[in-house]
Amino acid sequence: MDIELSILEKWINGSDNIVFVSGQDFSAEAGFPDYRAMDENYLAKYKYPPDEILCLTFLQRNPFYFYRYYRDKILTPLLKAQPSPAHEALVKLEEAGKLKAILTVNIDGIHQEAGSKEVVELHGSAMRNWCAKCEKYLDFFYIVDSPSHIPYCNVDMCGDYVRPDIVLKEEPYDFALIEKAMDYARQADMLIIDGSALKEFPVPNLMKAYQGHKLALINTAPLVFDARAGVVVRDHTYTDIFQQITLNL
């Protein structure tokens, strides 16, 4: 084990109020790739970039195109994804009384599927849906099983479209949820951040809110944030890192 992993393990063993922030790379190990990635295949199929499609006004003016993208790039991979050993290792840390919360910018619900209890979903979740008119909440399979390409609400003959419970561009975040996450970060005795989450709101703010001395960054490119971290672990899979650390729990 290299020195950075040794420090990370020592810190985790000596902590009982750990907060972990997860991003896209953590989900990728569970088989859910970055749905916003653009490659040659994407450009051959879609004429709009993901950042434009994942906007509230785009959904409102072009729902057929939105759901085409959503089914292809989010729902289909989600149906195949399975919790990784890294997800299961976080469950062990929580059960051991060390991990207090997972703060995630991911929308896939894989942490909960693995068995994690305290997960704060900062960008919402594709595992829930709701009606834009009557505001009734519906389960994940409502869109999956919808007989029409655009899923319509059948609650009390409402008839409006049903949308995923994710934060689209041009929409406000749930600031009560953001404040809850900030409180977790402030109170943590150790904060571990998946580097792929650092570019997402409000992760830099969470790091600033952290008041402890055990800040760990994992798999991030060299950044200005590195100077604040006590340890930076690179070039390891999350599975390798967390399986090794939780081996003796």
Side-chain angles (χ1 to χ4, degrees):
M1 184 183 295
D2 59 38
I3 187 169
E4 289 81 9
L5 283 180
S6 295
I7 294 170
L8 188 65
E9 182 175 24
K10 180 180 178 181
W11 282 4
I12 288 175
N13 287 338
S15 302
D16 60 8
N17 190 353
I18 301 168
V19 171
F20 179 67
V21 182
S22 68
Q24 181 57 51
D25 287 352
F26 203 86
S27 288
E29 288 191 19
F32 185 61
D34 186 355
Y35 54 90
R36 293 166 296 188
M38 294 178 64
D39 54 21
E40 291 182 2
N41 292 331
Y42 181 94
L43 296 173
K45 189 170 184 179
Y46 297 99
K47 61 181 180 179
Y48 303 102
D51 282 351
E52 184 174 349
I53 296 173
L54 294 169
C55 287
L56 177 61
T57 51
F58 189 95
L59 168 60
Q60 292 170 337
R61 72 174 183 264
N62 199 344
F64 188 90
Y65 205 102
F66 175 91
Y67 285 104
R68 176 189 168 201
Y69 169 90
Y70 184 73
R71 291 176 185 278
D72 181 36
K73 302 296 287 186
I74 296 178
L75 285 188
T76 298
L78 261 183
L79 289 168
K80 299 175 183 177
Q82 296 290 330
S84 70
H87 285 83
E88 293 164 357
L90 291 182
V91 176
K92 290 181 67 176
L93 282 174
E94 186 178 39
E95 291 173 345
K98 291 184 169 296
L99 181 67
K100 294 304 179 187
I102 297 170
L103 315 178
T104 186
V105 295
N106 297 333
I107 61 169
D108 48 59
I110 299 174
H111 286 298
Q112 292 93 325
E113 185 179 352
S116 292
K117 303 300 184 186
E118 185 58 20
V119 182
V120 180
E121 296 171 313
L122 299 166
H123 290 191
S125 175
M127 303 308 294
R128 301 181 299 272
N129 302 295
W130 61 283
C131 174
K133 181 179 179 181
C134 71
E135 299 185 352
K136 295 288 178 60
Y137 274 84
L138 302 153
D139 67 19
F140 169 74
F141 288 100
Y142 193 92
I143 292 181
V144 174
D145 297 336
S146 173
S148 61
H149 181 78
I150 299 174
Y152 292 103
C153 179
N154 62 11
V155 177
D156 298 328
M157 303 298 289
C158 173
D160 207 341
Y161 64 83
V162 171
R163 52 158 291 179
D165 189 26
I166 61 176
V167 180
L168 299 174
K169 283 193 170 185
E170 305 166 335
E171 285 188 302
Y173 289 89
D174 182 338
F175 281 98
L177 208 60
I178 300 297
E179 188 55 35
K180 181 179 181 180
M182 296 288 280
D183 283 342
Y184 271 124
R186 291 185 192 104
Q187 297 167 18
D189 64 2
M190 181 176 185
L191 182 65
I192 308 173
I193 300 179
D194 163 5
S196 66
L198 277 168
K199 62 181 181 294
E200 305 284 356
F201 177 82
V203 178
N205 306 69
L206 296 173
M207 189 168 61
K208 291 177 182 177
Y210 175 60
Q211 299 174 13
H213 302 287
K214 292 190 285 187
L215 172 63
L217 301 181
I218 300 178
N219 290 339
T220 177
L223 295 167
V224 67
F225 300 121
D226 291 2
R228 184 161 178 222
V231 63
V232 180
V233 178
R234 292 195 178 98
D235 302 322
H236 290 276
T237 67
Y238 295 95
T239 291
D240 287 345
I241 293 169
F242 287 103
Q243 272 197 315
Q244 178 65 39
I245 287 172
T246 59
L247 194 60
N248 298 317
L249 285 179

